[in-house]
Amino acid sequence: MSDALEVFDRRESEVRGYVRAFPVVFDRAVGSTLVGEDGREYLDFFAGAGVLNYGHNNPLFTRALIEYLERDGIIHGLDMATSAKKAFIEAFERLVLEPRGLDHKLQFTGPTGANAVEAALKVARQATGRTNVVAFTNAFHGLSIGALAATGNSHYRGAAGITLDNITRLPYDGYLGADVDTLDLLEKMLDDPGSGVDLPAAVIVEAVQGEGGINVASAAWLQRLRAITADRGILLILDEIQAGVGRTGAFFAFEDSGIVPDIVTVSKSISGSGLPMSLVLLRPEVDVWKPGAHTGTFRGNNLAFVSARAALENYWADTALVDDVATKSALLRTELERIAAENPELGFVVRGRGLMYGLACDADRGLAARISKQAFTRGLVIETSGAHDEVLKFLPALTISEDELLAGLAIVRESLAAALASPVE
């Protein structure tokens, strides 16, 4: 650790993670640029792990927040009615729900994505009277106990300290190869009284798995999953915490499949500004909560409501953002496929949608981490994902410019060459 980081090394818990990969004291940020205390600039392909879809300190949101603070707007309100919450609900209804034909109710949970998942699992079990939930390989749904039970990664599961129950784990789309429809197994096990699988309350799934390695479920697979669950009275939960809010192009990652989930969890970029906020969307018949049955001191972050409303009204009232993301997505995919073609011996696989992409390398599972490390020395913040951290994960802000995107990709190329030339650590 450098002298600037000494206090973190001395006093902060060993649980800290990202500071180990990006060992610098960051001071300011704007758009897709982070600035260290020493004034050095870093291009951001990380976006707060998907929290900052609209970039750092977006002036549209900063202005709205300052104006709200200056007029002494309510900051903390539990689940009481406030003008900020009212304005957000009305904007979400007008700009997200109604254009997509969704009639879901909104539940404001504690401010983390994990708390939204906990609420979704709890209400699904209450609504059905059943306890089992089906989750998939390489899923990531959070690290509190209920959400962790549905998470696949052994690194996180091993920290629980207790058994993680009431989950049946089945293979995600593509887990057994491109030629195997993994839903054959799900359907067979649900319909076979000898399978040992109890009829689930719900199935929870990510349309695009982020932490699991940028694995993309096909529209056909999601459509069949929706049919299987609907036919058997099983609730379908779509975890849109990382892949939602425009990250894969459309507002929701499940939109391209045309399905309608029973429950949707939303967090990360929903506030727009990076302020903590989470919500659960519930079909009205699933909203069986008794008043106060799932509470939380910070389930009414009114500053987040303010910036979330600004994000909706400035970016989702027309198709300009979606169209722009499609253009930059095509550019990103083309460049990543070019990198893969230039290095055939590495067997790179390009996966993703929108501005959520992965460059996977099973031939050298440590390569992605080495590229990330080399990139940071060159002024690019980019992380890894996957069960073995074998995927270089691209999560730039949706508002990034094409010039910034190309500059970051140039650094990735340089970093790949440096990683291949350096000894394996």
Side-chain angles (χ1 to χ4, degrees), residues 30 44 52 75 91 117 121 125-126 145 160 214 249 251 294 330 416:
V30 61
D44 187 4
L52 298 163
I75 294 178
V117 170
L121 297 175
R125 286 167 170 143
Q126 288 187 46
I145 293 300
I214 315 297
F251 191 87
H294 187 90
L416 169 59

Side-chain angles (χ1 to χ4, degrees), residues 103-125:
D103 66 346
H104 292 57
K105 304 282 285 296
L106 274 61
Q107 177 187 358
F108 298 97
T109 67
T112 67
N115 195 265
V117 170
E118 295 285 354
L121 297 175
K122 285 167 65 175
V123 77
R125 286 167 170 143

